Each structure stands twice: as C-alpha cells, then as structure tokens.
Amino acid sequence: MSMVYLLGAIIVMLLGWIILIKKQLRTTSTKIKDIATRRDSNEQLTMDVASPEIRQLLLHVNELLEAKSKTERQFQSLNKELRETIENVSHDLRTPLTSLSGYLQLMERDTLTSEEREKYSLIIKNKIQTLTELVENFFVLSKLSNEEGKLRLESMNLSDFITESVASYYEDFSRKGITPELLIAAGIEVNADRKALQRMVDNFISNMLKHGDGPMSIALTKQNGKAVLAFSNRASQLTEADVPRLIERFYTADRVRSGNNTGLGLAIIDLLTKRLGASFTVKWRDEILMFTVIFK
C-alpha cells in the first residue's frame, strides 16, 4: 500500500511540475511575442526552473533577442547616417549651383565690362570644376563604401612616385606662396594600387592647399621595415574637438563658417588605406596637423 501512496505522490509531483512548466512556457511565449513587437527593448527572458534543457532554450532565445536588438540599433544608426548623407549631399550640391545661378544672371547684364565678364567667366569655370570634383568624390566614396572594384597591387617605387606627384603641384604651391619641405628617402618600395595611391596623394595635397595656413612638409621614411608617408601643415583654425572627426565623411571644421568643402577627401583616404591594408592616423599638436600613412 505504501508503494501505491509513493507512486501517487510522485505522479502528483510530476503533474504539478508539468503544470508549472506549461504555465511558465505560456508566460514566456507571451513575453517573446511582446518583446518581438517592441522597438528598442533590451529585455531578456528569465525563468526559475530546474530543467537544464529549458534553461538552454532560454539562453538561445535570449541570444536571438540580443541579436534582434543589435540589428535594430544598427538599422537606426544607418538610417540616421543615410538621412544625414542626403542632407549633406543636397547642401553641397545646392551651394555651388546657387552661386552659379547668381553669376550667370550677372553675365546677362549688358553693362558689364570685358574685364568683369572675364572675371565672372573664370569664377563660373571654377564653380563647375568644384561641382565636377564633388560628384566624382561622391561616386568614389560610394564605390569604396560598398567595396566595389578590385585594387591592382603592384610593386612600385614610392619615393619616385611621391616626388613626381608633388612636382606636379609646383604652380599650386607657388600661387599660395609656399614651398613645401620635402624629406623623401630614396629607394622605398611598396605594394600598392597606383590609381588609389594617386588619389590619396592628390587629396592630401589638396587638403593642405585649401586649409593649410603656414609651413608644409611631406616626408617619406622607413621605420621598422615599413614605409611611412606623412603630410603636415599648420592648421591654426582647428580645435582638439575637430581632430578625431576629420576623417568622418562630410565633417569639416569650417563647414559652418565658410559653407564650403565637403569633407569627403579624408574619408576617401581612410577607406583607401584600409583597402590597401595600410594604417592612417591624424594628429594635431602645437597647431600642426599631421596625416600619416604606414604601409604594411
């Protein structure tokens, strides 16, 4: 008889256990449904049960909920970035177009002298060139962001390449009244894509010419067996807060003050160096801004 009572007690306990688990599972199911329909929820499931199988199940469900939460945060971040990109692109296209429209209206005046017409024609030409460069940068940035297009790596003499590239900007430096200090070590070889490297150097020098307000230097050395390329110039208009953000696309320290400059050049350099397997750093000390690329 005692055996019957014992079996009966065990059956009652098991039934109670099963009823408890079913109740908790129903509650958990309701919670999962609730969490799944809510945004920005970091809530996770908990259940005080002894069953290791159910605890393992809850662990996997919580991992899925965390992944869902992370995906939602990434989507919101990308969505915000997309909106900001559209706003910035619209701004950067509208500014030169509005300026062009104004100068074209001036050109229609019959009272303009030949000197004034020549002056405005040159301004319009420069604005068109700015627009062309802007659209090209948008295109390049889009391709690099999506990792489109293969780089063609080849062994090349970086010393000769930098020397020739800088020489091609002789007139630009002369117009600014600056002779950059060149410290180019001879015979330094790297594996790189020639077109990507040319765009990087062009963007560095363009940035120096547009925003540098003092002595400029370009150095190529070899440190610990690696080629180190550095561009530096005085940049008194910067602040400590600007420096970490300079490589952000569309960020420019003078955007608000001048309404010019897209801030895409350094963002393109950052993406190109990553594609080349190189590192890119920005430093600012004693009003001297230095960009450094270390090739692998």
Side-chain angles (χ1 to χ4, degrees), residues 27-46 58 61-70 72:
T27 302
T28 302
S29 177
T30 303
K31 264 193 171 184
I32 292 174
K33 186 177 180 180
D34 178 56
I35 294 172
T37 55
R38 277 192 283 127
R39 278 187 165 185
D40 303 323
S41 174
N42 294 319
E43 186 178 354
Q44 293 199 329
L45 300 172
T46 57
L58 290 182
V61 171
N62 282 332
E63 288 174 353
L64 290 173
L65 289 173
E66 175 61 29
K68 169 185 171 290
S69 179
K70 183 179 179 181
E72 285 180 347

Side-chain angles (χ1 to χ4, degrees), residues 132-144:
T132 303
E133 292 175 0
L134 180 59
V135 173
E136 174 65 16
N137 279 339
F138 286 148
F139 177 70
V140 171
L141 190 64
S142 175
K143 288 187 68 175
L144 289 173

Side-chain angles (χ1 to χ4, degrees), residues 2 4 11 14 29 31 55 63 98 105 134 142 157 162 190 241:
S2 59
V4 173
I11 291 172
L14 287 174
S29 177
K31 264 193 171 184
R55 286 202 300 271
E63 288 174 353
T98 302
Q105 289 177 24
L134 180 59
S142 175
N157 188 312
I162 298 299
V190 296

Side-chain angles (χ1 to χ4, degrees), residues 63-80:
E63 288 174 353
L64 290 173
L65 289 173
E66 175 61 29
K68 169 185 171 290
S69 179
K70 183 179 179 181
T71 301
E72 285 180 347
R73 291 194 297 269
Q74 289 175 338
F75 174 78
Q76 291 171 2
S77 176
L78 289 172
N79 194 38
K80 180 182 177 184

Side-chain angles (χ1 to χ4, degrees), residues 199-232:
R199 182 171 290 278
M200 287 168 56
V201 173
D202 288 343
N203 284 356
F204 275 132
I205 295 178
S206 176
N207 189 76
M208 294 173 75
L209 289 168
K210 286 180 181 177
H211 309 294
D213 55 10
M216 301 177 181
S217 70
I218 300 171
L220 176 64
T221 59
K222 201 154 192 178
Q223 300 176 20
N224 299 320
K226 296 181 178 180
V228 179
L229 179 62
F231 294 79
S232 62

